[in-house]
Amino acid sequence: MNYTRFVLFTGLAIVSYLLLLAWQADYPPTVSETTVDSTGLEELDGTPASNDDLPTQLPSASSDTTAGSTAANDLPTIPGQEDADAESVPRGQTVNVRTDTFDLRIDLNGGDISYLALPQFLRDIDVENDPFVMLQPNSSQRYVAQSGLIGPDGIDGATRATYTSRSSEYVMAPGEDSLTVDLVTSDDDGVQVTKRFTFDHGSYLIEISYLVENPTASPWTANMFGQISRDPFDDPSSVGGFGRSYLGFATTSPGDPYIRYDFGDVEDGIPSHEMEGGWIAFSQHYFLSAWIPDPTRVNNYSFRINSQNQYVGSVTSTAFQVPPQTSSTQSLQFYAGPKDQYALAEVSENLDLTIDYGFLWFLAQPIYWLLTRINGFVGNYGLSIILLTVVVKGLFYKLTETQYKSMAGMRRVMPKMQQLKERYSDDKMQLQKATMELYKKEKINPFGGCLPMLVQMPVFIALYWVLMEGVELRHAPFFLWINDLSVRDPFFVLPILMGASMYAQFMLSPPPPDPMQAKVMKLMPIMMTVFFLWFPAGLVLYWLVNSVLGILQQWYITRKLEKAYEAKKA
């Protein structure tokens, strides 16, 4: 053994590892900062939204939009309406709302959700009481959810409607199932509009209703709209590394259940489309915001860039009409929260497709189901990933056995193949013919070691995307130093162990007949280790367990085949 070479390589490995740790300390993973005060009660800049911020290309009001209106003597009672003059929140300010799932503020200029944080999801796992912020009104990173009434008599025209509220703060008390926040305004003709926000305990879905009272002698007509307005800043929930999640708009249509439009698509121009029901969303890693209009109405969906260079996705419903001396209620929903596959499926059809597993979604969805079921028993996603990998390897055991059987046969005939190479070194055609005759005589399929691996690859890729997209892994701890499976291992232990296991697996396998291919395969563990240094710990854990199980399977199957071969010879 060359001890000098061994010492040099060991020293180089130690120095490289220390350099990685130093780089990690100097350039830690960054989290997008927000300058919004956590109280959410400070004023915006006070500039009214211009008409440029509102949707265009409105559908015309139809004659049958009065369905659902009530008689004048059946007007609903609006909490606080009897004391509407006793306003405790001045016009132009904001209302703060706190529930078990939201910490948000509503701008009284337009009644828009200008700030929204998720208390159950921390921005940084090491900082307590610092919730992850989804929506924010920052000038450089603006991301807000706007809604209103436009059209012939709509209150959101050249300027936004200005609402009043009875309180500056609403809090869902422990034990309460829901919380209602009412904002009130009226137009010059005396038509009163109450914009009602309804929050349910444990839910990330907000019901936004417009209660319109028309005391005049003429019908009142308007269109509801909801839109997401965002600056093109980076994804604050991204874990970095390779395989970044999609960042951009998404919608659905009658011909395509899931359509993605990134910032570049919006710049190029996107034609609007109409459909009954539907939704429009903005997707980022782990989190989603979405407007879900009335599923019984025909809605118009459009995308554009406004004069402030913000990217806007809008949904506008067909016109509704409130007859004279009557009232009417119209509603739409807004979702802002984690990309929970099953919760999104209940909110609206195809909304769960925003958890993008790619073209292998039909494999990824059952894998996700199995992972969540396993975690329901063990309560640790690190252990769940290990058990899931064991299950997947068990399902493919027979294919793996075929693969290693072929590899063992190749190892057995390597001396004979070497003799053929020496004999026909100057005649490649004769060498190829003799090699094939040897395979046929020894009953070896040279492709037997590759085909099972190719069959398993789609499942492994689908599993990769499940672990990459699963919000359940965000800030999910494992053991010891790994307290977040969604970010890289801070000490790079898992990637190094994974590389070592891959190298061990390579050494157990017969070398490829081509010397150049053999060198490439020998470098593969090193290359994979470098790549996986930046991967989330959950993904590296999966690959490490997969490699270790592969070594155990290879040792067991090869030993069994060798015993069978020796018994056959005897």
Side-chain angles (χ1 to χ4, degrees), residues 240-317:
F242 297 92
R244 287 177 177 265
S245 186
Y246 171 69
L247 178 71
F249 290 101
T251 187
T252 185
S253 73
D256 192 343
Y258 176 55
I259 310 171
R260 303 195 315 185
Y261 295 126
D262 60 23
F263 295 130
D265 295 326
V266 178
E267 292 172 359
D268 294 336
I270 302 170
S272 62
H273 71 276
E274 291 186 355
M275 68 174 294
E276 188 173 73
W279 47 265
I280 189 170
F282 189 88
S283 177
Q284 64 190 61
H285 199 192
Y286 298 134
F287 300 102
L288 181 83
S289 63
W291 283 108
I292 305 96
D294 187 341
T296 64
R297 286 185 174 274
V298 175
N299 305 292
N300 179 278
Y301 295 90
S302 61
F303 303 86
R304 68 190 189 283
I305 300 178
N306 64 18
S307 60
Q308 286 79 42
N309 292 322
Q310 293 157 354
Y311 295 77
V312 181
S314 305
V315 54
T316 307
S317 298

Side-chain angles (χ1 to χ4, degrees), residues 1 10-11 18 63 105 155 197 214 249 251 265 352 355 544:
M1 180 178 181
T10 302
L18 293 176
S63 59
R105 70 179 183 180
I155 56 177
F197 294 79
N214 181 15
F249 290 101
T251 187
D265 295 326
D352 58 321
I355 306 173
L544 170 61

Side-chain angles (χ1 to χ4, degrees), residues 25-201:
D26 292 336
Y27 303 98
T30 59
V31 180
S32 179
E33 295 289 342
T34 177
T35 58
V36 179
D37 189 347
S38 61
T39 62
L41 291 176
E42 68 277 17
E43 291 191 49
L44 297 178
D45 57 11
T47 305
S50 67
N51 195 44
D52 180 73
D53 289 325
L54 304 181
T56 56
Q57 300 177 333
L58 299 181
S60 60
S62 58
S63 59
D64 59 350
T65 55
T66 59
S69 61
T70 59
N73 58 352
D74 292 328
L75 294 177
T77 301
I78 303 173
Q81 180 181 338
E82 64 280 2
D83 295 321
D85 293 333
E87 300 168 3
S88 59
V89 182
R91 293 172 180 265
Q93 291 190 1
T94 57
V95 173
N96 200 55
V97 182
R98 290 186 178 90
T99 71
D100 60 320
T101 54
F102 293 124
D103 180 1
L104 62 85
R105 70 179 183 180
I106 303 171
D107 184 6
L108 291 180
N109 179 36
D112 299 328
I113 302 176
S114 59
Y115 172 88
L116 186 145
L118 306 174
Q120 297 185 18
F121 294 88
L122 295 177
R123 185 174 64 90
D124 188 331
I125 192 173
D126 297 322
V127 181
E128 295 183 0
N129 302 319
D130 186 14
F132 180 79
V133 176
M134 282 194 65
L135 307 184
Q136 54 186 339
N138 293 0
S139 58
S140 61
Q141 295 187 346
R142 188 171 185 265
Y143 180 13
V144 298
Q146 299 170 297
S147 58
L149 299 175
I150 52 178
D153 300 309
I155 56 177
D156 293 296
T159 58
R160 303 299 304 280
T162 303
Y163 290 92
T164 59
S165 174
R166 288 183 50 81
S167 176
S168 64
E169 186 165 1
Y170 293 82
V171 179
M172 180 181 289
E176 287 187 342
D177 294 329
S178 64
L179 175 66
T180 300
V181 176
D182 282 351
L183 310 181
V184 181
T185 191
S186 59
D187 63 13
D188 295 337
D189 297 324
V191 176
Q192 180 169 290
V193 177
T194 299
K195 189 172 186 178
R196 175 170 294 173
F197 294 79
T198 303
F199 305 87
D200 293 327
H201 178 80

Side-chain angles (χ1 to χ4, degrees), residues 12 116 151 162 190 306 324 337 342 346 348 383-384 406 452 481 494:
L12 179 62
L116 186 145
T162 303
N306 64 18
Y342 300 121
E346 294 179 359
S348 183
L383 291 177
S384 299
S406 176
W481 69 95
L494 289 180

